[in-house]
């Protein structure tokens, strides 16, 4: 029986509730499969890390994650951290930088039982995760912002050929397994050098994939096109901030940001992390929707299966996804989706629908 060590970072707000739900579902699915064992390693992050180490992302947690096959990360509430800790990278930004998790993959797909604003859609955003306009993670040392005077701030955007090439290759390889179309999103008409380099390098990489159709849109136009015709798009590749914004939009268009999954990956590590935040206003009420983080864990298991050439892990991922989709289609929904199920009841509904 193959054993995989998976880190678990419960996080803040609704994090402990939805992350526990995810662990429960993975545990049940692995036991039913009887071929794979998941060993969960619980590690402090967020307020738990602050209380124990005065650090929302302790070095001991990062060291322990090096010894895992990957991890599940709950949401964090960095806005509530003490002022001196807000000056550091937030926990997810720190892990993305520390482990060079350069690809943030965020799918948006309609599902039965959930109302979609745009009808049928099935697309995935490949967001470059290490530089671009997010100045808290685009410098080797320090943060890429400067306060020149009390009334003047300069924020830096960084674009490198290396980072653009690797996210572009990831996007084009994904397209080969999908509908063979990549859309590059940029703002090269105004930010001619930085965004222009992103566009040019992506197009250069695209020439190595002759079977994939390539087009491009300015970020503002793309937001409008997604609302009007989301189903026309397959794989979207873009820089850090644009990808963050567009993925929130696409998540809401196909049903709810609370349903939106994602993984952050490098060539040898991956982190499952839902696209939504910590929702502290509903924390502890057992009403949070764990769909986003459960589907993120499904994506992580697919990544794990590919990394270790283990189809049994892929079978577990498909079983979990099918169980979740079946639960929702049969009306087992949390309050945010118009249902009455608690977090616990929704989780139990998925487990009951796993294939035995």
């Amino acid at each position: 029986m193959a054993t995989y060590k998976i880190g678990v970072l419960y996080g803040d707000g609704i994090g402990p509730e939805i992350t526990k739900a995810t662990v429960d579902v993975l545990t049940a699915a692995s036991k039913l499969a009887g071929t794979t064992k998941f060993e969960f390693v619980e590690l402090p992050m967020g307020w738990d890390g602050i209380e124990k180490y005065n650090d929302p992302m302790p070095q001991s947690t990062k060291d322990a994650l090096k010894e895992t096959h990957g991890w599940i990360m709950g949401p964090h509430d960095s806005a509530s951290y003490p002022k001196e800790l807000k000056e550091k990278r937030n926990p997810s930004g720190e892990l993305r930088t520390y482990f060079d998790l350069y690809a943030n993959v965020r799918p948006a797909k309609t599902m039965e039982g959930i109302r979609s604003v745009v009808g049928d859609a099935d697309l995935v955003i490949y967001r470059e995760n290490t530089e671009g306009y997010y100045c808290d993670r685009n410098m080797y040392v320090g943060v890429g912002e400067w306060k020149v005077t009390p009334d003047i701030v300069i924020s830096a955007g960084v674009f490198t050929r290396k980072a653009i090439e690797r996210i572009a290759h990831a996007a084009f390889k994904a397209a080969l397994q999908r509908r063979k179309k990549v859309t590059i999103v940029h703002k090269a008409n105004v930010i001619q050098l930085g965004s222009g380099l992103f566009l040019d390098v992506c197009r250069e990489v695209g020439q190595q994939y002759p079977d994939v159709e390539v087009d491009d849109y300015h970020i503002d136009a793309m937001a409008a096109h997604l609302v009007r015709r989301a189903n026309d798009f397959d794989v979207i590749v873009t820089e850090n901030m644009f990808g963050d914004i567009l993925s929130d939009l696409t998540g809401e268009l196909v049903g709810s940001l609370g349903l939106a999954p994602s993984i952050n990956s490098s060539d040898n590590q991956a982190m499952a992390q839902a696209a939504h935040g910590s929702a502290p206003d509903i924390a502890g009420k057992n009403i949070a929707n764990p769909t986003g983080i459960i589907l993120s864990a499904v994506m992580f298991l697919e990544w794990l299966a590919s990394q270790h050439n283990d189809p049994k892990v892929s079978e577990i991922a498909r079983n979990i996804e099918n169980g979740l989709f079946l639960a929702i289609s049969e009306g087992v929904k949390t309050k945010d989706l118009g249902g009455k199920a608690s977090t616990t009841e929704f989780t139990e509904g998925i487990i009951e629908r796993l294939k035995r």
Side-chain angles (χ1 to χ4, degrees):
M1 180 181 291
T3 299
Y4 296 97
K5 185 181 291 188
I6 300 175
V8 179
L9 288 69
Y10 286 99
D12 306 320
I14 61 172
E17 298 163 80
I18 62 173
T19 306
K20 180 184 183 302
T22 304
V23 170
D24 288 348
V25 170
L26 264 64
T27 299
S30 64
K31 286 181 178 179
L32 283 174
T35 58
T36 308
K37 180 180 178 182
F38 298 136
E39 179 183 333
F40 296 103
V41 182
E42 298 181 0
L43 298 166
M45 180 272 283
W47 273 107
D48 189 24
I50 293 171
E51 291 167 0
K52 293 176 180 176
Y53 301 98
N54 195 37
D55 190 341
M57 183 48 64
Q59 184 61 44
S60 60
T61 293
K62 292 184 284 190
D63 290 341
L65 290 175
K66 295 176 185 177
E67 306 303 319
T68 69
H69 291 90
W71 59 92
I72 300 166
M73 183 176 188
H76 54 77
D77 183 18
S78 53
S80 71
Y81 296 166
K83 183 177 184 298
E84 65 273 15
L85 296 178
K86 291 181 183 179
E87 297 173 358
K88 303 173 66 173
R89 290 190 188 100
N90 66 45
S92 58
E94 176 63 19
L95 289 182
R96 290 168 181 174
T97 303
Y98 188 82
F99 288 99
D100 197 26
L101 305 176
Y102 65 85
N104 186 200
V105 185
R106 294 186 168 187
K109 183 178 180 179
T110 51
M111 63 178 75
E112 186 180 349
I114 300 296
R115 179 181 175 274
S116 167
V117 176
V118 291
D120 290 335
D122 181 4
L123 60 87
V124 60
I125 293 174
Y126 272 72
R127 168 194 175 196
E128 201 292 313
N129 218 12
T130 64
E131 51 180 40
Y133 294 117
Y134 274 10
C135 53
D136 67 331
R137 64 202 67 168
N138 62 18
M139 296 284 156
Y140 178 67
V141 176
V143 175
E145 285 194 309
W146 303 271
K147 198 164 189 179
V148 182
T149 76
D151 302 313
I152 299 175
V153 172
I154 298 173
S155 299
V158 175
F159 298 86
T160 65
R161 177 174 290 274
K162 174 186 175 182
I164 301 167
E165 284 182 344
R166 62 186 183 177
I167 193 63
H169 278 293
F172 278 95
K173 288 175 182 176
L176 289 174
Q177 305 302 316
R178 291 173 52 90
R179 303 200 308 271
K180 296 183 172 60
K181 182 177 180 180
V182 169
T183 299
I184 308 163
V185 177
H186 60 92
K187 193 60 177 172
N189 60 325
V190 175
I191 308 169
Q192 297 181 8
L193 296 181
S195 206
L197 182 67
F198 190 93
L199 173 61
D200 292 344
V201 173
C202 284
R203 283 203 168 276
E204 290 173 13
V205 170
Q207 293 175 5
Q208 301 175 42
Y209 299 84
D211 294 335
V212 178
E213 178 187 351
V214 184
D215 60 6
D216 70 273
Y217 289 92
H218 298 147
I219 176 63
D220 45 346
M222 187 63 184
H225 284 294
L226 284 169
V227 173
R228 182 177 293 275
R229 53 187 190 91
N231 199 35
D232 289 348
F233 298 99
D234 181 21
V235 177
I236 297 167
V237 62
T238 190
E239 65 87 37
N240 206 337
M241 185 170 70
F242 294 168
D244 197 8
I245 295 168
L246 288 182
S247 58
D248 278 13
L249 172 63
T250 56
E252 195 66 29
L253 289 175
V254 299
S256 168
L257 184 58
L259 304 174
S262 80
I263 62 167
N264 303 263
S265 65
S266 66
D267 295 331
N268 53 22
Q269 276 285 19
M271 170 173 77
Q273 180 188 30
H276 61 74
S278 63
D281 57 317
I282 61 169
K285 297 182 179 180
N286 197 28
I287 60 173
N289 183 355
T291 296
I293 194 166
I294 292 174
L295 290 179
S296 299
V298 167
M299 293 177 68
F300 167 69
L301 293 182
E302 290 286 15
W303 177 90
L304 195 65
S306 177
Q307 285 288 110
H308 297 275
N309 192 26
D310 189 343
K312 298 298 184 181
V313 176
S314 184
E315 290 175 11
I316 293 171
R318 296 277 68 77
N319 191 18
I320 293 171
E321 183 179 61
N322 290 337
L324 185 148
F325 288 164
L326 184 59
I328 290 177
S329 69
E330 292 181 352
V332 183
K333 303 177 185 178
T334 48
K335 185 177 180 180
D336 60 304
L337 300 178
K340 298 180 180 179
S342 67
T343 306
T344 304
E345 290 167 342
F346 181 74
T347 305
E348 291 171 349
I350 296 171
I351 293 173
E352 290 171 0
R353 289 164 176 78
L354 297 175
K355 292 182 181 177
R356 289 168 169 79

